[in-house]
Amino acid sequence: MSPTIDLDVGISEEMLALRDTTHRFALEVMRPIAAQLDRMTPEAVIAEDSPLWQGLEKFKAIGLVGAPDCYGPDLTPEARALMHAMVIEELCWGDVGLSITYSLWNLGASVARQMGREDLAEFFAQRDEFFCLALTEPNHGSDMVAFNDASFRDPAGRADLRCRRDGEDYILNGQKAAWVSCGTIAGCGMIFATYEDSKIGRAGGAVFLLPLDLPGITRGKPLDKLGQRTLNQGEIFFDEVRVPARFFLADDPDMYAMMLGGFLAHANTAMGLQFVGVARAAFDHALAYAKERVQGGKPIIEHQSVKARLFNMFMKLESARSFARQVAIQHYQRMGMIPFHYAAASKVLVTQSAFEIASEALQMFGGNGLCREYPLEKIFRDARAGLIEDGENHMLGLTAANNF
Ligand SMILES: Cc1cc2nc3c(=O)[nH]c(=O)nc-3n(C[C@H](O)[C@H](O)[C@H](O)COP(=O)(O)OP(=O)(O)OC[C@H]3O[C@@H](n4cnc5c(N)ncnc54)[C@H](O)[C@@H]3O)c2cc1C
């Protein structure tokens, strides 16, 4: 039983009930599936007979597809943000990679609606598929995060995915990196491309919300990585892909950088909420183990230094959770327009805390922490990936500080 409580004001019975349902799903469905997927090859993780798909059906059944829009129209922005924070924390307490995967299911229509494109929302609502956000390129990772840096507008700046206009259509050539989440299984995606003849480097770009079954689009091999092995990732290749104008979202340079910054702010606000779940999973395991493991003739929690270490983990968890929730509440109150430096601070603070808590929890398990039959080594690997995901942490800090 976790000693943590909700410090937030305004938690309703409805939120608590939804959290209970989500917690049961995380415990009974996500954790067992994630333990299996973690040991499988990236190809097997997405194969037809993979438990990934059974989990997806169960996720659909608990009604969380399209969260936070699925919570109903009557909630205030603050209540919606809080409810979402509680749900995401439980899902990521279950497994962060699976939580991200399932939250990308049928997201295309919601994204179109947020962009004010009802026509595209109707188009994507007809399709049952994963969504992806394709920003990172093989030669441009942090370069794409640095949307407010002078280097972004350097005329010499090149891109790996390029576009040009052809009458009413656009033509895409090149590729996105193997880091695109759900990259090999997504049916649609938000794609950032740079004009072939851009005079302002990577700032001269266009954004598309595309079905990924257009002729000329192919995928790479699923990526094999250290942590979050339950999350599919892989390259998307574009060879003279003709994109009808209706899938185009923006190209004005200021609008382009604004959309890029807006999406990064949204993603990093979500990352903050997600890694609270990872941090709590590590803390809960460490606490339970400290009560059970006997050394020196008593449970290790009765040794003073172990108590002190648990208290440190608890403080980090609670401060990370409070900050992530406040940032998310502001984000929803401001119609998705949280200043970038707050979103980045939430992501960096929470992922760093989650990594430190996971590392300390692994230490508390002693040698068992290193063994695959115990849960900590996987949580540690998952938390480690968080320091690079959706913007490498140092780089997010540099980009955030450009706002000061
Ligand atoms: C689990 C996971 C999920 C992801 N999901 C997605 C996704 O869905 N879509 C997507 O598009 N991308 C995704 N990414 C990619 C992620 O955003 C990039 O990995 C990240 O931006 C870093 O880019 P890079 O890997 O190319 O590293 P690089 O940019 O090559 O960075 C290497 C090192 O150089 C440093 N560095 C780089 N530039 C500077 C600079 N100007 N000043 C100082 N230091 C610098 C960095 O801090 C870093 O330590 C994901 C990554 C992970 C790990």
Side-chain angles (χ1 to χ4, degrees):
M1 190 67 178
S2 176
T4 64
I5 57 167
D6 294 299
L7 293 176
D8 315 80
V9 175
I11 297 210
S12 65
E13 289 300 317
E14 194 192 353
M15 291 176 193
L16 293 174
L18 184 62
R19 175 165 59 199
D20 282 352
T21 307
T22 313
H23 184 75
R24 272 199 307 282
F25 175 75
L27 182 67
E28 293 164 12
V29 180
M30 294 177 88
R31 281 194 170 180
I33 289 180
Q36 286 180 61
L37 296 179
D38 183 57
R39 291 168 184 229
M40 288 161 53
T41 63
E43 287 80 8
V45 164
I46 55 165
E48 237 171 67
D49 58 351
S50 165
L52 177 81
W53 306 109
Q54 294 141 27
L56 176 62
E57 290 311 311
K58 292 182 180 163
F59 178 73
K60 290 180 195 170
I62 59 167
L64 289 176
V65 171
D69 294 346
C70 65
Y71 304 145
D74 301 331
L75 293 174
T76 61
E78 306 88 81
R80 186 175 301 280
L82 197 47
M83 198 148 173
H84 197 47
M86 291 164 72
V87 163
I88 293 293
E89 180 177 326
E90 292 314 311
L91 292 174
C92 294
W93 178 90
D95 182 73
V96 63
L98 272 185
S99 171
I100 293 171
T101 306
Y102 292 156
S103 69
L104 292 173
W105 181 252
N106 275 355
L107 206 63
S110 310
V111 171
R113 203 159 288 123
Q114 277 158 29
M115 309 304 308
R117 289 290 303 271
E118 260 322 305
D119 59 321
L120 284 186
E122 269 172 40
F123 175 85
F124 287 110
Q126 311 293 323
R127 299 159 60 101
D128 259 357
E129 60 195 10
F130 282 111
F131 166 85
C132 68
L133 176 67
L135 180 62
T136 309
E137 303 188 337
N139 293 300
H140 305 288
S142 301
D143 284 354
M144 300 301 283
V145 171
F147 66 94
N148 59 9
D149 194 80
S151 63
F152 199 60
R153 287 177 175 264
D154 179 352
R158 290 280 154 264
D160 297 327
L161 181 63
R162 297 163 306 277
C163 62
R164 66 171 190 274
R165 284 206 184 86
D166 187 30
E168 290 290 292
D169 298 341
Y170 293 79
I171 309 291
L172 291 178
N173 271 302
Q175 75 167 98
K176 286 296 178 182
W179 290 108
V180 176
S181 297
C182 286
T184 79
I185 55 174
C188 67
M190 175 159 279
I191 312 291
F192 290 80
T194 307
Y195 281 106
E196 281 173 6
D197 57 358
S198 169
K199 305 275 187 294
I200 49 171
R202 283 180 296 280
V207 191
F208 302 88
L209 182 54
L210 279 189
L212 292 173
D213 48 9
L214 294 175
I217 297 181
T218 52
R219 318 299 173 94
K221 261 166 63 95
L223 184 70
D224 200 1
K225 61 188 191 293
L226 173 96
Q228 295 181 39
R229 294 177 59 80
T230 55
L231 173 65
N232 164 267
Q233 292 182 296
E235 294 141 316
I236 310 177
F237 299 100
F238 300 80
D239 181 11
E240 284 289 300
V241 176
R242 180 167 290 276
V243 180
R246 67 180 170 137
F247 297 120
F248 168 78
L249 293 179
D251 73 343
D252 166 75
D254 291 334
M255 182 64 131
Y256 180 72
M258 206 177 88
M259 276 184 73
L260 184 45
F263 265 91
L264 283 170
H266 186 74
N268 281 298
T269 300
M271 286 285 286
L273 299 178
Q274 285 158 358
F275 279 79
V276 172
V278 177
R280 199 186 99 220
F283 174 71
D284 286 354
H285 281 304
L287 183 59
Y289 191 80
K291 288 181 177 172
E292 172 198 309
R293 174 72 174 166
V294 174
Q295 288 294 289
K298 52 189 178 185
I300 59 172
I301 194 167
E302 291 179 24
H303 296 296
Q304 250 184 8
S305 78
V306 171
K307 276 188 197 158
R309 282 150 64 187
L310 283 164
F311 182 65
N312 264 328
M313 292 160 79
F314 164 78
M315 277 196 298
K316 275 186 191 159
L317 168 60
E318 287 295 340
S319 22
R321 178 195 276 135
S322 292
F323 187 57
R325 287 189 179 183
Q326 287 310 307
V327 169
I329 287 169
Q330 279 294 326
H331 182 61
Y332 282 86
Q333 278 180 335
R334 291 162 179 256
M335 314 285 282
M337 300 293 277
I338 187 83
F340 178 77
H341 45 289
Y342 279 91
S346 174
K347 190 267 177 167
V348 173
L349 176 83
V350 181
T351 53
Q352 186 61 36
S353 303
F355 177 65
E356 287 169 13
I357 293 169
S359 180
E360 186 60 83
L362 187 150
Q363 195 78 9
M364 198 154 289
F365 270 64
N368 287 337
L370 303 170
C371 296
R372 296 191 83 178
E373 66 197 86
Y374 288 85
L376 250 304
E377 64 87 32
K378 173 182 173 297
I379 293 177
F380 178 76
R381 287 186 280 111
D382 290 348
R384 186 64 187 82
L387 304 181
I388 300 169
E389 191 167 4
D390 287 6
E392 187 279 328
N393 279 6
H394 294 108
M395 198 61 210
L396 284 174
L398 293 175
T399 307
N402 282 340
N403 275 8
F404 298 164

